[in-house]
Amino acid sequence: EGFRFNLKVEALKPQPFINFPNFLDLGYCQINKSKEGKLAFTNEGRKEGAITLKNDKLKFEPSNNITVQPGQTQQVIVRYQTN
């Protein structure tokens, strides 16, 4: 009787956790040609993740704004056009 025990409890709010490579090597790009590579964005979190890609010299497909659901991977094609 009279025994008390304090237990500290913490909970994390569901959030996205986007894993992606930190480097994309397009290799040699010839003048007046385009070169492309692929990036994979994987959401290892528990909530939908929104990604915005910005670069004046690159084009992104399907879009520069993508959404990745938990447990899913979204592929993005990155295209560079030389002048």
Side-chain angles (χ1 to χ4, degrees):
E1 275 183 52
F3 177 75
R4 293 180 77 189
F5 182 78
N6 290 328
L7 177 64
K8 184 178 179 180
V9 178
E10 294 180 10
L12 297 176
K13 177 179 165 184
Q15 59 188 358
F17 181 77
I18 307 297
N19 190 357
F20 59 95
N22 59 0
F23 184 76
L24 176 64
D25 185 0
L26 294 176
Y28 175 73
C29 300
Q30 293 181 3
I31 300 291
N32 297 321
K33 300 280 184 177
S34 67
K35 190 81 175 208
E36 65 182 43
K38 292 182 182 178
L39 290 175
F41 295 88
T42 302
N43 187 351
E44 298 173 356
R46 298 186 325 179
K47 187 176 180 184
E48 173 182 281
I51 300 165
T52 300
L53 303 168
K54 294 181 181 180
N55 188 294
D56 294 338
K57 297 181 180 184
L58 301 175
K59 300 216 183 275
F60 305 100
E61 291 179 22
S63 170
N64 66 322
N65 294 306
I66 61 172
T67 301
V68 186
Q69 298 298 325
Q72 299 293 314
T73 298
Q74 176 73 43
Q75 292 267 352
V76 175
I77 296 173
V78 180
R79 184 171 289 116
Y80 175 69
Q81 177 69 46
T82 61
N83 296 335

